[in-house]
Amino acid sequence: MAARGRHVASLLLVYPGALGYAGVSTPIEDVQQMLQEHQYDYDLVPADELTKKARVVGSGIELRNETYEGIVVPGLESATPELLEKLAEFAQAGIPVVFADRSPSRVVQRELNPEQWLSLLDAASFRLSENPSRLPFVLREAGVGPQIVFHGNGREHLRLLHRVRDGRNVWFLSNEDVSVAIAGWVRLPSMASGDSLLAWEPVTGSVGSRRNVQQADRRRSHGANSMLHCRLTDRC
């Protein structure tokens, strides 16, 4: 079930595996952990693919037939002119571009004037999260919120996967720590009062109805290891 449909994420995360020139950089695992712990779903993108194929469409970034609200760049010491220029294009269009931990201080091609390219960081509306732990707060300040809102205990263990199947939303919620129960409220977006949900527990295979969604779109989670929510009319 979790593999069916189209993955929908609100953020792009630049993959540093392709950034052999980056110098001192922030481990992408630290950035991923912060995003995951605060229920941000994202897609990884190599810098080369980003510079060649991503473009501004409206108020978002279009890539691979998907549209993203913002982009996160793990802290890096050096960047190519192409990457800086593409990020500046996004920022100047009003799309949140957030560097996690540090922003570039060097340009790779030494024959170019580094000040010319680094000045893009000042001219555009880039944002800096001083350390990865502040990244969720910086994103919210930039207008990019998590795809679901969770209130309760164990948020740091809650992981999210959002897919769209046959035009309907499917939310896969999982507990990364089987020794700790997650209990609280989950707010799902884009649902009207009176809608119904199906909740599927993958471990036991049980399927239960969550009828009459409250006006605040809140669903109680009772310490499940993992749970998938979909519209009652979906074929789960």
Side-chain angles (χ1 to χ4, degrees):
M1 170 57 66
R4 298 179 185 177
R6 175 173 56 88
H7 180 217
V8 179
S10 56
L11 289 170
L12 279 172
L13 175 60
V14 177
Y15 178 57
L19 303 182
Y21 54 77
V24 178
S25 59
T26 303
I28 191 172
E29 294 81 7
D30 293 349
V31 180
Q32 288 177 296
Q33 182 177 353
M34 279 298 104
L35 292 174
Q36 292 167 355
E37 287 183 358
H38 290 264
Q39 291 72 61
Y40 280 92
D41 205 358
Y42 57 86
D43 279 333
L44 291 169
V45 57
D48 186 58
E49 180 182 3
L50 180 76
T51 58
K52 292 179 179 179
K53 299 182 179 180
R55 64 192 185 107
V56 175
V57 175
S59 58
I61 301 170
E62 185 179 82
L63 180 67
R64 307 166 185 159
N65 296 319
E66 299 290 345
T67 302
Y68 303 88
E69 298 177 44
I71 185 167
V72 175
V73 185
L76 45 89
E77 182 180 9
S78 301
T80 64
E82 293 80 11
L83 179 59
L84 288 174
E85 191 171 38
K86 180 60 69 171
L87 295 175
E89 177 187 343
F90 297 152
Q92 289 166 352
I95 299 169
V97 177
V98 181
F99 288 100
D101 195 34
R102 63 183 299 167
S103 58
S105 58
R106 295 192 300 165
V107 179
V108 174
Q109 284 90 338
R110 294 180 179 274
E111 65 273 14
L112 297 175
N113 179 5
E115 288 76 17
Q116 171 190 352
W117 296 99
L118 292 175
S119 65
L120 292 174
L121 299 177
D122 299 323
S125 302
F126 288 101
R127 298 172 186 267
L128 174 65
S129 172
E130 293 84 0
N131 56 68
S133 65
R134 283 201 42 82
L135 180 57
F137 304 99
V138 175
L139 284 169
R140 283 197 292 269
E141 290 174 354
V144 182
Q147 288 180 286
I148 65 169
V149 177
F150 175 76
H151 299 283
N153 299 320
R155 183 183 66 182
E156 65 273 17
H157 307 300
L158 180 63
R159 299 294 182 266
L160 164 72
L161 177 66
H162 179 201
R163 305 190 79 89
V164 173
R165 182 186 177 196
D166 298 329
R168 300 185 178 99
N169 290 302
V170 179
W171 306 86
F172 187 82
L173 309 178
S174 63
N175 184 353
E176 291 292 289
D177 191 339
V178 296
S179 66
V180 177
I182 296 175
W185 292 96
V186 174
R187 177 174 295 176
L188 302 177
S190 303
M191 295 193 67
S193 179
D195 275 355
S196 299
L197 295 173
L198 283 180
W200 174 54
E201 171 50 74
V203 176
T204 65
S206 62
V207 178
S209 174
R210 301 291 189 265
R211 294 183 180 275
N212 298 325
V213 175
Q214 302 172 22
Q215 186 65 41
D217 302 339
R218 299 166 78 185
R219 293 290 87 198
R220 185 75 171 173
S221 174
H222 292 286
N225 288 331
S226 55
M227 184 165 288
L228 182 146
H229 289 286
C230 55
R231 294 284 292 274
L232 190 58
T233 51
D234 287 357
R235 297 177 179 177
C236 294

